[in-house]
């Protein structure tokens, strides 16, 4: 039995998601497509959602690694947006399922994990207290996932413009407040 059976199961699951609705994918259909036993599946995963969670974590780690190699914020954002655009049809199928709430939570958690790892690497001396960091992460992750899902629906959206806008938002440059202006 291959040492990377977990990866094989996850890759087969993603291929199945591309072909059909996640609600139609069962453990039985997945093990048949993988040509493995039920016991082998349950050795590696608890259920279908566990396969999805593991797959998202693996992709998040890959995106973090690729983003860290990118060198600057704009390039890192482009890596993230390109990935989301390329996999938009899978995201849509997942979000159109009965498990939408769970899947949205997984995507937001993945965005938070991504932001934490990239910021730790790029700003190791940054200190924000835990409660503030949690609010900041939740706010940015929800916003980022929401924006990406909304813009990815439009096949003709300007990806470079979105990269620039997100860079300006994340760096704080989008808002140019007049120092004399008062709220």
């Amino acid at each position: 039995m291959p040492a990377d059976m977990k990866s094989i199961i996850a890759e087969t699951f993603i291929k199945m998601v591309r072909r059909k609705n996640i609600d139609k994918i069962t453990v039985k259909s997945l093990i048949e497509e993988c040509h493995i036993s039920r016991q082998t599946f349950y050795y590696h995963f608890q259920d279908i959602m566990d396969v999805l969670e593991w797959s998202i974590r693996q992709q998040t780690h890959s995106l973090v690694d690729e983003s860290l190699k990118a060198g600057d914020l704009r390039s890192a954002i482009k890596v993230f947006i390109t990935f989301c655009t390329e996999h938009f049809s899978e995201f849509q199928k997942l979000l159109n399922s009965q498990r939408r709430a769970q899947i949205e939570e997984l995507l937001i958690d993945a965005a938070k994990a991504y932001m934490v790892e990239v910021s730790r690497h790029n700003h190791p001396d940054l200190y924000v207290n835990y409660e503030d960091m949690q609010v900041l992460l939740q706010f940015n992750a929800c916003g980022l996932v929401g924006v990406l899902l909304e813009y990815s629906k439009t096949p003709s959206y300007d990806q470079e413009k979105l990269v620039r806008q997100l860079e300006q938002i994340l760096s704080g440059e989008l808002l140019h407040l007049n120092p004399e202006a008062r709220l």
Side-chain angles (χ1 to χ4, degrees), residues 32-134:
E32 286 174 359
E33 190 134 342
C34 289
H35 306 289
I36 60 171
S37 69
R38 188 173 284 277
Q39 181 179 359
T40 299
F41 175 86
Y42 285 114
Y43 176 79
H44 295 287
F45 296 104
Q46 293 177 349
D47 56 22
I48 292 292
M49 286 304 292
D50 192 28
V51 177
L52 180 58
E53 285 179 49
W54 187 84
S55 298
I56 289 173
R57 278 194 308 276
Q58 297 306 306
Q59 285 297 330
T60 301
H61 291 301
S62 295
L63 281 171
V64 166
D65 290 344
E66 195 174 339
S67 294
L68 294 177
K69 292 175 189 168
D72 62 13
L73 180 59
R74 179 174 289 203
S75 300
I77 292 169
K78 186 169 183 149
V79 165
F80 194 80
I81 289 175
T82 300
F83 174 83
C84 292
T85 302
E86 289 172 356
H87 296 279
F88 181 72
S89 63
E90 290 98 334
F91 290 141
Q92 276 304 112
K93 283 187 175 187
L94 294 170
L95 290 168
N96 288 334
S97 75
Q98 294 174 4
R99 297 177 172 129
R100 181 182 179 102
Q102 289 173 284
I103 291 165
E104 282 179 352
E105 189 175 320
L106 289 174
L107 294 175
I108 290 168
D109 287 346
K112 286 193 293 193
Y114 173 83
M115 286 187 271
V116 164
E117 290 304 315
V118 171
S119 66
R120 276 186 187 152
H121 181 269
N122 293 335
H123 306 285
D125 56 343
L126 180 68
Y127 173 77
V128 178
N129 77 45
Y130 180 78
E131 288 178 355
D132 291 344
M133 179 60 84
Q134 293 308 307

